[in-house]
Amino acid sequence: MKPPGQARRIDSRATEAAATIFGEPPGLLDSIGFETLAAAVAAGIAVVRFERLAWANDTFVSWLGASVSEIRKVPFSGLFKDIGRGLPDRNDFHATECGIAAPDGSMRRVRCTPFLRDRDSDLCAWLLEDATRVRDLEYEILTLSRQLHERNREVAALEDRIRNERTDREEMLGVVSHELRTPLTIVGGYNRLLLSGEVGPLTDDQRRYLEESSEACRRVNDFITRLLEAPAAHADGAFLEISRQALGDVIRTEARGLTPLLSDRDLAIAIAVAPEADVAQFDRGRIGQVIRNLLENAIKYAPAGSSIEIQTQRIEAATASDRDAVEVAVSDRGPGIDEADRERIFEAYVRAANARSEEGYGLGLAVCRRLIEAHGGSIAVTNRVGGGSRFAFSLPDDAAGRGR
């Protein structure tokens, strides 16, 4: 209940509003622009006297589809349809939801609330809100809420699927690693036995081949260890063990380990390590893996009797905010890579169109890109001048400005 004084002031304003509406001397509401305010709101506003419509703003008139003068003879409550919740009642200050027949024959749901009333002059002002739009918004919100709930369920299902696939992958990785290590252990054991001289003397070439074979077994065993450690390494961020070291040593080691493949295909490797681009910051095992993958890839496509070139060079920073880099490039004289495939071949399980006759699963270059980007560098392929491919990767290195 409002205090009697406040209620009386409201009744007085209603009387003054009626005087304004019927052209009598302006009152308090007219001084603040009653009609201007009524025209600015999105809701309908109607003033009723003696149960007849005396004035309405443009919003309410548009709902009726007729002018105030045309419908003034119709009782105010007769403008509405009872949809089971009653009709507007000036004696009830509660909102009533009812219907209005629109000009096109559709039914608009309207919430009617009296907000000014003067019993002496039988004057009542009504606020008319479009409940249809409110219900449409409520329906839209409900629909979006259901869709969001469904998306959340899909995300949860996807997370479960990823979690299960990760578990399955780690279990498979453990099985595969175990199966690989068994023959490696056997091969390594025989190598050590032969190198010991217990089963007979070795020639210098035989000893060198056995040492290279043992080194290859060691590298594969280290690679398997890294695979098994990778999930934990990703979790704590300790993925790379970067230190400042010589690239030339890694390049020569990897090239030497591929001697049997080079001999089978009558190929040679030409190594050119620039003095200013020899030392860089990298993970020795990971970059060795990248160089080995690139060399093996070149061996597949290089024509017999040709030479594979591997070179390093320093790339100076273009701006003060950039870092110097060391570039390593592996070039061959094979068929080259079509321009349309030069980006795709770094995706997993994708191979160039002219590589279908060669064995492989299209994973080597994808692994190379992942490892180089983990170092903060980049890798790309272009055609070699004179024919063939040139794969080049960069390793950020800002030691030039500090002195080495």
Side-chain angles (χ1 to χ4, degrees):
M1 294 294 292
K2 293 182 174 61
Q6 185 177 356
R8 181 57 190 164
R9 285 196 296 273
I10 293 176
D11 287 345
S12 175
R13 292 183 181 185
T15 303
E16 292 170 355
T20 300
I21 292 166
F22 291 108
E24 298 176 15
L28 177 60
L29 286 184
D30 187 51
S31 68
I32 62 171
F34 175 77
E35 293 190 43
T36 301
L37 291 174
V41 298
I45 294 180
V47 178
V48 177
R49 191 178 189 188
F50 303 126
E51 293 298 329
R52 296 292 190 272
L53 183 65
W55 178 90
N57 68 348
D58 292 341
T59 300
F60 187 49
V61 170
S62 66
W63 293 352
L64 296 172
S67 66
V68 174
S69 60
E70 292 175 327
I71 56 177
R72 183 167 290 173
K73 295 182 180 180
V74 180
F76 180 65
S77 59
L79 301 175
F80 302 91
K81 301 291 184 181
D82 188 348
I83 56 175
R85 302 185 181 184
L87 294 173
D89 184 354
R90 65 187 302 275
N91 295 314
D92 186 355
F93 249 93
H94 294 92
T96 302
E97 192 169 309
C98 48
I100 290 181
D104 60 2
S106 62
M107 182 67 68
R108 182 189 301 273
R109 300 175 73 97
V110 178
R111 183 176 292 112
C112 307
T113 307
F115 68 93
L116 287 175
R117 181 175 56 182
D118 181 47
R119 298 184 184 278
D120 295 336
S121 61
D122 200 24
L123 176 74
C124 186
W126 292 83
L127 177 68
L128 307 149
E129 300 172 280
D130 188 347
T132 302
R133 179 55 180 161
V134 173
R135 289 184 178 273
D136 289 344
L137 290 175
E138 290 174 347
Y139 177 78
E140 291 177 12
I141 292 173
L142 178 61
T143 301
L144 291 174
S145 177
R146 290 173 176 171
Q147 292 175 351
L148 178 60
H149 179 68
E150 185 62 27
R151 297 296 88 78
N152 287 337
R153 290 181 56 187
E154 292 176 0
V155 169
L158 182 59
E159 289 176 346
D160 288 339
R161 177 182 173 185
I162 292 174
R163 191 179 302 110
N164 293 335
E165 288 180 352
R166 183 185 297 114
T167 301
D168 292 343
R169 183 171 63 251
E170 291 175 359
E171 290 178 355
M172 182 179 295
L173 183 61
V175 172
V176 171
S177 299
H178 177 269
E179 294 301 317
L180 285 174
R181 273 180 164 161
T182 300
L184 279 175
T185 301
I186 295 173
V187 172
Y190 280 128
N191 284 345
R192 288 191 297 273
L193 179 62
L194 292 171
L195 287 169
S196 69
E198 294 181 11
V199 294
L202 298 172
T203 67
D204 290 342
D205 286 343
Q206 289 172 336
R207 181 171 294 279
R208 187 175 73 254
Y209 295 155
L210 286 171
E211 289 174 347
E212 293 290 347
S213 176
S214 296
E215 176 62 19
C217 289
R218 184 194 65 78
R219 289 200 303 267
V220 174
N221 189 67
D222 289 345
F223 176 69
I224 292 172
T225 300
R226 289 193 186 96
L227 284 178
L228 294 174
E229 293 174 348
H234 277 295
D236 60 18
F239 180 66
L240 299 176
E241 296 179 1
I242 294 178
S243 61
R244 192 160 178 74
Q245 51 198 308
L247 269 170
D249 291 345
V250 180
I251 292 172
R252 284 183 282 271
T253 298
E254 297 301 333
R256 190 166 53 249
L258 295 173
T259 299
L261 292 179
L262 294 167
S263 299
D264 288 344
R265 300 212 177 193
D266 190 23
L267 298 171
I269 293 182
I271 300 174
V273 177
E276 71 277 8
D278 184 14
V279 179
Q281 300 176 142
F282 58 91
D283 181 310
R284 183 182 183 91
R286 299 301 189 179
I287 294 304
Q289 183 181 350
V290 171
I291 293 172
R292 185 166 62 254
N293 281 348
L294 294 180
L295 288 175
E296 289 176 349
N297 193 64
I299 290 171
K300 287 181 181 180
Y301 302 108
S306 66
S307 176
I308 296 170
E309 303 160 359
I310 181 165
Q311 303 169 320
T312 69
Q313 65 174 335
R314 176 165 288 277
I315 301 175
E316 301 295 335
T319 65
S321 61
D322 294 334
R323 300 170 63 187
D324 289 352
V326 173
E327 182 186 76
V328 180
V330 176
S331 303
D332 63 66
R333 301 173 187 270
I337 306 295
D338 292 339
E339 187 173 355
D341 291 330
R342 291 179 191 172
E343 182 65 26
R344 294 178 60 252
I345 59 174
F346 290 101
E347 299 175 8
Y349 307 107
V350 174
R351 305 179 67 217
N354 58 4
R356 293 173 183 169
S357 61
E358 297 292 338
E359 296 180 356
Y361 295 97
L363 288 172
L365 293 178
V367 171
C368 288
R369 168 167 280 185
R370 182 172 65 87
L371 293 176
I372 294 301
E373 290 180 348
H375 279 78
S378 61
I379 184 170
V381 59
T382 57
N383 281 347
R384 174 184 173 275
V385 177
S389 301
R390 182 181 185 272
F391 287 84
F393 66 86
S394 63
L395 297 172
D397 187 77
D398 56 3
R402 303 192 310 264
R404 295 190 301 271

